[in-house]
Amino acid sequence: MKIKFALRDSSFFKDIRMIQLVKTFFVFLILMMVVSCGNTTKLKPADTPISLRFIDEYVLPDTTIFENTRVGGLSGIDYGNGAWYAISDDTDLPRFYKMDISYNHKGFNSIALNELIKFKDSHGIVIPNGTVDPESIRYDNGNFVWTSEGNIKKSVKPFVHIVNSNGKLVKEIPLASRFLPSNQAGYGPHHNGVFEGVSLSLDKKGYWVAMELPLKEDGTEPTVEENNSPVRIAYINKETGRFEKEIVYALDKVERPAINGTTFEINGLVELVEYEQNKFLVLERSYSMGYKDGGNTVKIYLVDATNATDVRDIKSLKGSNYTGVTKKLLFNFETIRAQLTNAVVDNIEGITLGPDFNNGNRSLVVVADNNFSLYGPQLNQFILFEIEQSIAN
């Protein structure tokens, strides 16, 4: 009865129609907001922080043989032009591999090696053993840029080389004298502390190369107690081959003291990737001897170099005024240690952005240098992440 009466009352009917119009308007408004929010999610602000979701681990057997080489010492990895590349730090036969790495948002499917490429000089002759220490590699439009730490103790120079798809030298980047072995006390690079990482610049017009340890004139190697350890990250103009800028990254302290009668400890910058203009993912690895879990503590930092001082003309950073990059912890591998093989975070040295997942999020892959298990059993360890972008600060 009340319903029939209400419908027959003209003023109330007008109110009902008005309410319906208002409801329709609000539904339309909500739909517009949903569409707008959807577009905003796809067009994330450049300064929106990101997070990593661990997905899976894949261990390539230590006994893997490919084209008469033992697969190991994988100190750098890259994805480009639909293929994967990994560099081996084998000083006896400097080389890199072309690989297929298959995965989805649930985990790895397979890893297969397709091709072995030996590094060669400008005449096409394979680089002789003992003259290089390969560390990092990036694909660059059909060519590759790779770095060698050399051997500072033996006065073997580090370098940055550009090679073609067959590994033949195309260009050698001239280095400033401060990056070369020095007989002068307190100057030059530390042994095993030179060009550990390389990244293409976001605009692909140059390369960023990173020192693993400070120059002797800049600071000291980090210890458990101290970290007066600023390392240089340099920008190289691809066209001119010149070092055009150098910025400073401060290393952490060594995470744990060496134990069980051992003394060796180290912490260094082992790789970087520029993911936005002047913004990087930086891989930092601390190692201490004597631990059953491998002794490695590995972290990924978000690094912002927007306001960093160009220190190219500063001969020594000790006592100098400059602004270094800012760093924020993105991921500590300790949080997934229990989910990894034998609870080991191995000697992770390579990092690269991979293809997008079906949901549009980018993948990230890291790889461990197993040192060919020279110092005890280690792992050819690949770890897969999904990069998730969060709207929270």
Side-chain angles (χ1 to χ4, degrees), residues 153-329:
K153 289 182 178 179
K154 296 182 178 180
S155 296
V156 177
K157 297 177 181 179
F159 60 68
V160 180
H161 277 185
I162 315 299
V163 298
N164 64 18
S165 59
N166 294 318
K168 181 180 177 181
L169 179 64
V170 174
K171 186 176 185 177
E172 181 170 358
I173 304 297
L175 303 183
S177 59
R178 63 172 160 266
F179 298 119
L180 302 177
S182 174
N183 293 323
Q184 187 176 357
Y187 286 89
H190 290 278
H191 183 68
N192 280 337
V194 199
F195 299 130
E196 186 76 16
V198 64
S199 171
L200 263 67
S201 63
L202 193 67
D203 59 11
K204 301 187 185 305
K205 293 182 179 180
Y207 311 113
W208 292 96
V209 291
M211 301 282 289
E212 181 175 5
L213 296 171
L215 294 170
K216 294 175 184 176
E217 61 265 37
D218 287 341
T220 58
E221 297 182 63
T223 66
V224 175
E225 294 82 18
E226 297 181 356
N227 62 327
N228 180 24
S229 309
V231 297
R232 297 190 185 225
I233 300 173
Y235 174 78
I236 301 171
N237 183 306
K238 189 193 304 186
E239 184 176 350
T240 65
R242 294 178 180 173
F243 280 60
E244 292 189 347
K245 185 177 184 179
E246 293 177 22
I247 55 179
V248 178
Y249 175 96
L251 293 173
D252 292 348
K253 296 177 183 179
V254 172
E255 192 74 20
R256 297 183 278 181
I259 58 173
N260 293 330
T262 64
T263 59
F264 185 73
E265 305 164 351
I266 191 172
N267 182 55
L269 191 166
V270 291
E271 192 58 281
L272 78 168
V273 175
E274 187 176 26
Y275 69 94
E276 290 181 7
Q277 188 72 31
N278 289 318
K279 295 183 179 180
F280 304 85
L281 299 176
V282 169
L283 195 61
E284 194 169 337
R285 182 229 42 227
S286 174
Y287 169 74
S288 302
M289 289 188 73
Y291 291 88
K292 293 181 179 179
D293 65 5
N296 297 294
T297 302
V298 184
K299 300 174 184 178
I300 300 175
Y301 282 98
L302 287 174
V303 170
D304 190 341
T306 303
N307 299 315
T309 304
D310 181 1
V311 299
R312 181 179 33 161
D313 295 327
I314 300 179
K315 293 183 178 180
S316 172
L317 298 179
K318 294 178 180 178
S320 298
N321 293 320
Y322 61 87
T323 300
V325 304
T326 61
K327 55 188 285 191
K328 180 180 180 181
L329 182 63

